[in-house]
Amino acid sequence: MTSPVSVFIIDDSAVVRQVLTQLLDADPGVRVAGVAPDPIFALQKMQSDWPDVIVLDVEMPRMDGITFLRKLMQERPTPVVICSTLTEQGADITLQAMSAGAVDIITKPRLGLKDFLHDGTPRLLQVIKAAAKARLSPVRNRSLTSPADKKPIPSERLNQTTDQVVALGTSTGGTHALEQVLTNLPAACPGIVVVQHMPAKFTAAFANRLNHLCQCEVREAVDGDRVIPGLVLIAPGGKHMQLRRSGAQYRVAISNGPPVNRHRPSVDVLFRSVASLAGRNALGVIMTGMGDDGAKGLLAMRQAGAHTIAQDRESCVVFGMPREAIELGAAAEVLPLTAMASAIMGAQSRRRNAG
């Protein structure tokens, strides 16, 4: 019989600690190993019973969650799920924690906390159980650069037809995976559209962080944005993103719509639109994440003539979405994360040579 996943909760709110403990202990597949109001108390308690997963708040007394997380990932890497209040300021801080190595985000409101936690129990349990299986690797801190130091996108790129669209989908573990891929692309990379499963308000801060790290321009997509070389558009949290064609130009359409595969934005929604409109001019990439969102859409892209790539098991934090795509026959190639950037640029070169 499989042992239950042991979880340690670190949150300065006694209400959060109490409610989370009750909810998690009600599932036979999870065991709450302990709770603490801050990381210093937590480190003392965890020594005798180190957990499989840590549920961590960000803003706490004595030691904040980011400082603790960086220390943890250096000394004893352990899967961490961030449980943070959903605010604009909190989004930026929480994304710093994700960059430091956290596996996923669970958002909590300032009001109606008990109802929210009860309603979100299935998602919470899913994230914790997936985190327990996460493959962790050392996290390297990257220096931020000023967007003002970047060369502006040449005006001629705005006038040309985009000869290739790269559609990229990811979920759990995706923030770090995207950072690794995008920071290794040159400023002259092909136009890229991204769906990362992420709550509303977090994607703008995430895109801004990546924009400070990357040679290419990265921003949260706005309805009608052009897809052009040197630009990465990230779907806004809580909204779907699809590819549209306006004459010779590719643009994105942002919409509400119902969740697809329990997600909004959905990778499948993006991939299917790319398959329909870009066909063989597209490259599809599916990376680390829970569930099966994107697998059928990637298959549609491959059937439409696009080249398709799935991340391999060894380099995934959670080998869910890529596994589903591979088993469905949607992936023409299976590559490690370290090979994704060169594969994207290689596909662009092959397309130019073929043309």
Side-chain angles (χ1 to χ4, degrees):
M1 183 176 178
T2 305
S3 301
V5 175
S6 62
V7 180
F8 199 99
I9 301 165
I10 308 176
D11 198 298
D12 62 344
S13 167
V15 174
V16 171
R17 297 196 301 271
Q18 179 183 11
V19 174
L20 281 178
T21 299
Q22 292 173 349
L23 294 177
L24 298 181
D25 275 339
D27 188 302
V30 177
R31 173 181 67 88
V32 176
V35 301
D38 68 42
I40 295 177
F41 282 127
L43 284 171
Q44 296 170 356
K45 291 185 175 183
M46 290 191 300
Q47 296 305 318
S48 59
D49 184 11
W50 200 267
D52 298 318
V53 178
I54 297 171
V55 176
L56 179 68
D57 191 12
V58 174
E59 298 174 334
M60 290 175 289
R62 299 209 295 172
M63 180 186 288
D64 66 89
I66 297 174
T67 301
F68 167 71
L69 182 60
R70 288 174 177 156
K71 176 181 174 68
L72 181 74
M73 290 305 174
Q74 290 176 356
E75 299 178 2
R76 190 167 181 174
T78 304
V80 171
V81 174
I82 296 296
C83 189
S84 177
T85 302
L86 185 61
T87 64
E88 295 290 354
Q89 180 181 5
D92 183 60
I93 294 172
T94 301
L95 284 168
Q96 291 181 46
M98 294 293 290
S99 180
V103 173
D104 212 335
I105 303 171
I106 294 292
T107 57
K108 60 182 182 183
R110 293 189 181 277
L111 302 175
L113 181 61
K114 289 186 178 181
D115 290 340
F116 171 81
L117 289 173
H118 279 289
D119 293 342
T121 298
R123 159 75 176 157
L124 177 63
L125 290 169
Q126 182 187 38
V127 167
I128 287 174
K129 291 176 182 179
K133 301 176 183 178
R135 297 168 179 264
L136 301 181
S137 58
V139 177
R140 178 168 63 91
N141 291 327
R142 299 179 184 271
S143 58
L144 299 179
T145 59
S146 170
D149 295 334
K150 297 182 181 182
K151 294 180 180 179
I153 296 175
S155 58
E156 60 267 21
R157 293 192 196 169
L158 299 173
N159 298 324
Q160 69 184 21
T161 299
T162 303
D163 60 355
Q164 185 176 50
V165 175
V166 177
L168 201 158
T170 185
S171 184
T172 309
T175 54
H176 182 62
L178 281 170
E179 182 176 313
Q180 182 167 339
V181 172
L182 298 182
T183 53
N184 281 289
L185 291 176
C189 67
I192 300 175
V193 285
V194 177
V195 164
Q196 159 72 53
H197 294 158
M198 187 174 284
K201 297 185 180 180
F202 279 85
T203 41
F206 179 51
N208 184 59
R209 173 179 169 76
L210 288 175
N211 192 47
H212 282 79
L213 293 170
C214 299
Q215 297 179 61
C216 53
E217 181 180 351
V218 184
R219 64 173 184 250
E220 184 183 58
V222 174
D223 187 58
D225 272 347
R226 285 277 308 278
V227 181
I228 55 175
L231 177 63
V232 179
L233 296 172
I234 297 179
K239 295 186 182 294
H240 290 306
M241 181 168 72
Q242 294 174 278
L243 192 68
R244 291 284 183 260
R245 187 127 192 182
S246 176
Q249 301 174 356
Y250 291 122
R251 296 183 180 270
V252 294
I254 308 299
S255 61
N256 288 313
V260 175
N261 299 326
R262 303 173 301 282
H263 294 287
R264 188 177 61 213
S266 163
V267 180
D268 266 331
V269 169
L270 174 64
F271 281 1
R272 285 169 176 159
S273 69
V274 174
S276 175
L277 293 173
R280 61 186 293 271
N281 293 333
L283 169 67
V285 181
I286 192 164
M287 300 199 303
T288 176
M290 290 187 294
D292 61 357
D293 188 30
K296 293 180 180 178
L298 193 71
L299 179 61
M301 287 186 66
R302 187 175 187 184
Q303 291 172 338
H307 187 63
T308 54
I309 302 172
Q311 186 179 349
D312 69 357
R313 177 189 294 271
E314 289 71 25
S315 65
C316 279
V317 171
V318 178
F319 189 59
M321 289 162 51
R323 181 189 64 235
E324 294 292 335
I326 293 167
E327 291 178 353
L328 200 60
E333 274 191 286
V334 179
L335 297 175
L337 183 63
T338 52
M340 289 298 181
S342 59
I344 289 171
M345 296 309 298
Q348 182 186 45
S349 298
R350 287 195 299 273
R351 173 64 187 154
R352 285 175 177 170
N353 293 335

PDB file of all heavy atoms in Angstrom, residues 11-13 37 56-61 63-66 83-85 87 89-90 93 108 110:
ATOM      1  N   ASP A  11       2.129  28.908   7.432  1.00  0.00           N
ATOM      2  CA  ASP A  11       1.271  30.071   7.176  1.00  0.00           C
ATOM      3  C   ASP A  11       1.049  30.799   8.489  1.00  0.00           C
ATOM      4  O   ASP A  11       0.799  30.170   9.523  1.00  0.00           O
ATOM      5  CB  ASP A  11      -0.076  29.620   6.592  1.00  0.00           C
ATOM      6  CG  ASP A  11      -0.818  30.759   5.908  1.00  0.00           C
ATOM      7  OD1 ASP A  11      -1.155  31.747   6.607  1.00  0.00           O
ATOM      8  OD2 ASP A  11      -1.073  30.668   4.698  1.00  0.00           O
ATOM      9  N   ASP A  12       1.136  32.135   8.464  1.00  0.00           N
ATOM     10  CA  ASP A  12       0.989  32.880   9.716  1.00  0.00           C
ATOM     11  C   ASP A  12      -0.468  33.015  10.158  1.00  0.00           C
ATOM     12  O   ASP A  12      -0.738  33.498  11.255  1.00  0.00           O
ATOM     13  CB  ASP A  12       1.654  34.255   9.623  1.00  0.00           C
ATOM     14  CG  ASP A  12       1.039  35.143   8.554  1.00  0.00           C
ATOM     15  OD1 ASP A  12       0.324  34.611   7.685  1.00  0.00           O
ATOM     16  OD2 ASP A  12       1.281  36.361   8.587  1.00  0.00           O
ATOM     17  N   SER A  13      -1.416  32.589   9.320  1.00  0.00           N
ATOM     18  CA  SER A  13      -2.827  32.643   9.685  1.00  0.00           C
ATOM     19  C   SER A  13      -3.252  31.340  10.362  1.00  0.00           C
ATOM     20  O   SER A  13      -3.178  30.256   9.755  1.00  0.00           O
ATOM     21  CB  SER A  13      -3.692  32.871   8.438  1.00  0.00           C
ATOM     22  OG  SER A  13      -5.059  32.636   8.726  1.00  0.00           O
ATOM     23  N   PRO A  37       3.692  28.790  12.105  1.00  0.00           N
ATOM     24  CA  PRO A  37       3.321  30.145  11.676  1.00  0.00           C
ATOM     25  C   PRO A  37       4.403  30.848  10.869  1.00  0.00           C
ATOM     26  O   PRO A  37       4.145  31.878  10.271  1.00  0.00           O
ATOM     27  CB  PRO A  37       3.074  30.874  13.002  1.00  0.00           C
ATOM     28  CG  PRO A  37       3.975  30.169  13.976  1.00  0.00           C
ATOM     29  CD  PRO A  37       3.989  28.729  13.555  1.00  0.00           C
ATOM     30  N   LEU A  56       3.348  26.644   1.435  1.00  0.00           N
ATOM     31  CA  LEU A  56       4.046  27.809   1.970  1.00  0.00           C
ATOM     32  C   LEU A  56       3.358  29.121   1.639  1.00  0.00           C
ATOM     33  O   LEU A  56       3.043  29.401   0.481  1.00  0.00           O
ATOM     34  CB  LEU A  56       5.472  27.827   1.396  1.00  0.00           C
ATOM     35  CG  LEU A  56       6.396  28.971   1.785  1.00  0.00           C
ATOM     36  CD1 LEU A  56       6.770  28.886   3.261  1.00  0.00           C
ATOM     37  CD2 LEU A  56       7.654  28.938   0.910  1.00  0.00           C
ATOM     38  N   ASP A  57       3.135  29.941   2.666  1.00  0.00           N
ATOM     39  CA  ASP A  57       2.700  31.317   2.463  1.00  0.00           C
ATOM     40  C   ASP A  57       3.934  32.142   2.104  1.00  0.00           C
ATOM     41  O   ASP A  57       5.072  31.693   2.303  1.00  0.00           O
ATOM     42  CB  ASP A  57       2.040  31.840   3.746  1.00  0.00           C
ATOM     43  CG  ASP A  57       1.328  33.175   3.535  1.00  0.00           C
ATOM     44  OD1 ASP A  57       1.152  33.569   2.370  1.00  0.00           O
ATOM     45  OD2 ASP A  57       0.957  33.807   4.540  1.00  0.00           O
ATOM     46  N   VAL A  58       3.737  33.341   1.589  1.00  0.00           N
ATOM     47  CA  VAL A  58       4.870  34.161   1.169  1.00  0.00           C
ATOM     48  C   VAL A  58       5.197  35.232   2.193  1.00  0.00           C
ATOM     49  O   VAL A  58       6.345  35.390   2.616  1.00  0.00           O
ATOM     50  CB  VAL A  58       4.593  34.808  -0.205  1.00  0.00           C
ATOM     51  CG1 VAL A  58       5.715  35.772  -0.574  1.00  0.00           C
ATOM     52  CG2 VAL A  58       4.464  33.731  -1.277  1.00  0.00           C
ATOM     53  N   GLU A  59       4.190  35.990   2.622  1.00  0.00           N
ATOM     54  CA  GLU A  59       4.430  37.094   3.545  1.00  0.00           C
ATOM     55  C   GLU A  59       4.193  36.625   4.974  1.00  0.00           C
ATOM     56  O   GLU A  59       3.057  36.387   5.386  1.00  0.00           O
ATOM     57  CB  GLU A  59       3.519  38.270   3.193  1.00  0.00           C
ATOM     58  CG  GLU A  59       3.796  38.827   1.796  1.00  0.00           C
ATOM     59  CD  GLU A  59       2.813  39.899   1.391  1.00  0.00           C
ATOM     60  OE1 GLU A  59       1.679  39.866   1.910  1.00  0.00           O
ATOM     61  OE2 GLU A  59       3.162  40.749   0.570  1.00  0.00           O
ATOM     62  N   MET A  60       5.289  36.492   5.734  1.00  0.00           N
ATOM     63  CA  MET A  60       5.218  36.000   7.109  1.00  0.00           C
ATOM     64  C   MET A  60       6.224  36.737   7.980  1.00  0.00           C
ATOM     65  O   MET A  60       7.205  37.285   7.467  1.00  0.00           O
ATOM     66  CB  MET A  60       5.509  34.486   7.140  1.00  0.00           C
ATOM     67  CG  MET A  60       4.433  33.620   6.533  1.00  0.00           C
ATOM     68  SD  MET A  60       4.917  31.882   6.464  1.00  0.00           S
ATOM     69  CE  MET A  60       6.170  31.947   5.177  1.00  0.00           C
ATOM     70  N   PRO A  61       6.020  36.735   9.293  1.00  0.00           N
ATOM     71  CA  PRO A  61       6.971  37.395  10.193  1.00  0.00           C
ATOM     72  C   PRO A  61       8.278  36.613  10.310  1.00  0.00           C
ATOM     73  O   PRO A  61       8.338  35.428  10.008  1.00  0.00           O
ATOM     74  CB  PRO A  61       6.220  37.417  11.529  1.00  0.00           C
ATOM     75  CG  PRO A  61       5.276  36.254  11.448  1.00  0.00           C
ATOM     76  CD  PRO A  61       4.858  36.171  10.014  1.00  0.00           C
ATOM     77  N   MET A  63      10.778  35.493   8.916  1.00  0.00           N
ATOM     78  CA  MET A  63      11.408  35.094   7.665  1.00  0.00           C
ATOM     79  C   MET A  63      10.336  34.961   6.599  1.00  0.00           C
ATOM     80  O   MET A  63       9.361  34.231   6.787  1.00  0.00           O
ATOM     81  CB  MET A  63      12.165  33.770   7.807  1.00  0.00           C
ATOM     82  CG  MET A  63      12.850  33.324   6.511  1.00  0.00           C
ATOM     83  SD  MET A  63      13.616  31.671   6.601  1.00  0.00           S
ATOM     84  CE  MET A  63      15.024  32.024   7.655  1.00  0.00           C
ATOM     85  N   ASP A  64      10.494  35.684   5.485  1.00  0.00           N
ATOM     86  CA  ASP A  64       9.487  35.600   4.430  1.00  0.00           C
ATOM     87  C   ASP A  64       9.660  34.305   3.643  1.00  0.00           C
ATOM     88  O   ASP A  64      10.698  33.636   3.708  1.00  0.00           O
ATOM     89  CB  ASP A  64       9.585  36.808   3.495  1.00  0.00           C
ATOM     90  CG  ASP A  64      10.894  36.824   2.714  1.00  0.00           C
ATOM     91  OD1 ASP A  64      10.942  36.239   1.631  1.00  0.00           O
ATOM     92  OD2 ASP A  64      11.861  37.413   3.230  1.00  0.00           O
ATOM     93  N   GLY A  65       8.624  33.944   2.885  1.00  0.00           N
ATOM     94  CA  GLY A  65       8.616  32.683   2.165  1.00  0.00           C
ATOM     95  C   GLY A  65       9.702  32.567   1.110  1.00  0.00           C
ATOM     96  O   GLY A  65      10.244  31.486   0.883  1.00  0.00           O
ATOM     97  N   ILE A  66      10.042  33.679   0.450  1.00  0.00           N
ATOM     98  CA  ILE A  66      11.051  33.628  -0.611  1.00  0.00           C
ATOM     99  C   ILE A  66      12.430  33.331  -0.030  1.00  0.00           C
ATOM    100  O   ILE A  66      13.174  32.493  -0.554  1.00  0.00           O
ATOM    101  CB  ILE A  66      11.071  34.943  -1.400  1.00  0.00           C
ATOM    102  CG1 ILE A  66       9.725  35.151  -2.099  1.00  0.00           C
ATOM    103  CG2 ILE A  66      12.197  34.934  -2.429  1.00  0.00           C
ATOM    104  CD1 ILE A  66       9.586  36.476  -2.787  1.00  0.00           C
ATOM    105  N   CYS A  83       0.967  29.080  -1.383  1.00  0.00           N
ATOM    106  CA  CYS A  83      -0.426  29.412  -1.081  1.00  0.00           C
ATOM    107  C   CYS A  83      -0.434  30.882  -0.678  1.00  0.00           C
ATOM    108  O   CYS A  83      -0.053  31.243   0.439  1.00  0.00           O
ATOM    109  CB  CYS A  83      -0.956  28.535   0.051  1.00  0.00           C
ATOM    110  SG  CYS A  83      -2.732  28.671   0.330  1.00  0.00           S
ATOM    111  N   SER A  84      -0.840  31.753  -1.625  1.00  0.00           N
ATOM    112  CA  SER A  84      -0.648  33.185  -1.438  1.00  0.00           C
ATOM    113  C   SER A  84      -1.916  33.959  -1.744  1.00  0.00           C
ATOM    114  O   SER A  84      -2.734  33.545  -2.560  1.00  0.00           O
ATOM    115  CB  SER A  84       0.482  33.672  -2.362  1.00  0.00           C
ATOM    116  OG  SER A  84       0.661  35.060  -2.273  1.00  0.00           O
ATOM    117  N   THR A  85      -2.063  35.114  -1.103  1.00  0.00           N
ATOM    118  CA  THR A  85      -3.189  36.002  -1.366  1.00  0.00           C
ATOM    119  C   THR A  85      -3.087  36.571  -2.771  1.00  0.00           C
ATOM    120  O   THR A  85      -2.007  36.967  -3.225  1.00  0.00           O
ATOM    121  CB  THR A  85      -3.209  37.153  -0.351  1.00  0.00           C
ATOM    122  OG1 THR A  85      -3.280  36.600   0.960  1.00  0.00           O
ATOM    123  CG2 THR A  85      -4.415  38.049  -0.579  1.00  0.00           C
ATOM    124  N   THR A  87      -3.208  39.244  -5.055  1.00  0.00           N
ATOM    125  CA  THR A  87      -3.178  40.691  -5.242  1.00  0.00           C
ATOM    126  C   THR A  87      -2.117  41.005  -6.285  1.00  0.00           C
ATOM    127  O   THR A  87      -1.259  40.188  -6.586  1.00  0.00           O
ATOM    128  CB  THR A  87      -2.816  41.431  -3.941  1.00  0.00           C
ATOM    129  OG1 THR A  87      -1.488  41.064  -3.555  1.00  0.00           O
ATOM    130  CG2 THR A  87      -3.789  41.094  -2.823  1.00  0.00           C
ATOM    131  N   GLN A  89       0.394  43.105  -5.999  1.00  0.00           N
ATOM    132  CA  GLN A  89       1.692  43.095  -5.336  1.00  0.00           C
ATOM    133  C   GLN A  89       2.091  41.675  -4.980  1.00  0.00           C
ATOM    134  O   GLN A  89       3.228  41.256  -5.166  1.00  0.00           O
ATOM    135  CB  GLN A  89       1.646  43.960  -4.063  1.00  0.00           C
ATOM    136  CG  GLN A  89       2.981  44.003  -3.321  1.00  0.00           C
ATOM    137  CD  GLN A  89       2.904  44.849  -2.059  1.00  0.00           C
ATOM    138  OE1 GLN A  89       1.842  45.326  -1.691  1.00  0.00           O
ATOM    139  NE2 GLN A  89       4.035  45.025  -1.401  1.00  0.00           N
ATOM    140  N   GLY A  90       1.128  40.901  -4.490  1.00  0.00           N
ATOM    141  CA  GLY A  90       1.401  39.517  -4.130  1.00  0.00           C
ATOM    142  C   GLY A  90       1.789  38.687  -5.330  1.00  0.00           C
ATOM    143  O   GLY A  90       2.551  37.732  -5.219  1.00  0.00           O
ATOM    144  N   ILE A  93       5.546  39.078  -5.927  1.00  0.00           N
ATOM    145  CA  ILE A  93       6.306  38.392  -4.879  1.00  0.00           C
ATOM    146  C   ILE A  93       6.195  36.875  -5.049  1.00  0.00           C
ATOM    147  O   ILE A  93       7.176  36.139  -4.927  1.00  0.00           O
ATOM    148  CB  ILE A  93       5.796  38.813  -3.482  1.00  0.00           C
ATOM    149  CG1 ILE A  93       6.100  40.298  -3.247  1.00  0.00           C
ATOM    150  CG2 ILE A  93       6.431  37.963  -2.392  1.00  0.00           C
ATOM    151  CD1 ILE A  93       5.480  40.859  -1.992  1.00  0.00           C
ATOM    152  N   LYS A 108      -5.294  32.327  -2.565  1.00  0.00           N
ATOM    153  CA  LYS A 108      -6.307  32.457  -1.519  1.00  0.00           C
ATOM    154  C   LYS A 108      -6.760  33.909  -1.442  1.00  0.00           C
ATOM    155  O   LYS A 108      -5.936  34.828  -1.501  1.00  0.00           O
ATOM    156  CB  LYS A 108      -5.766  31.983  -0.167  1.00  0.00           C
ATOM    157  CG  LYS A 108      -4.547  32.751   0.323  1.00  0.00           C
ATOM    158  CD  LYS A 108      -4.015  32.208   1.645  1.00  0.00           C
ATOM    159  CE  LYS A 108      -2.818  33.014   2.138  1.00  0.00           C
ATOM    160  NZ  LYS A 108      -2.220  32.483   3.368  1.00  0.00           N
ATOM    161  N   ARG A 110      -8.554  37.360   0.312  1.00  0.00           N
ATOM    162  CA  ARG A 110      -8.519  37.949   1.654  1.00  0.00           C
ATOM    163  C   ARG A 110      -9.825  37.700   2.410  1.00  0.00           C
ATOM    164  O   ARG A 110      -9.844  37.622   3.634  1.00  0.00           O
ATOM    165  CB  ARG A 110      -8.263  39.459   1.559  1.00  0.00           C
ATOM    166  CG  ARG A 110      -6.873  39.795   1.035  1.00  0.00           C
ATOM    167  CD  ARG A 110      -6.592  41.275   1.156  1.00  0.00           C
ATOM    168  NE  ARG A 110      -5.278  41.621   0.628  1.00  0.00           N
ATOM    169  CZ  ARG A 110      -4.155  41.510   1.308  1.00  0.00           C
ATOM    170  NH1 ARG A 110      -4.176  41.060   2.554  1.00  0.00           N
ATOM    171  NH2 ARG A 110      -3.004  41.846   0.764  1.00  0.00           N
TER     172      ARG A 110
END
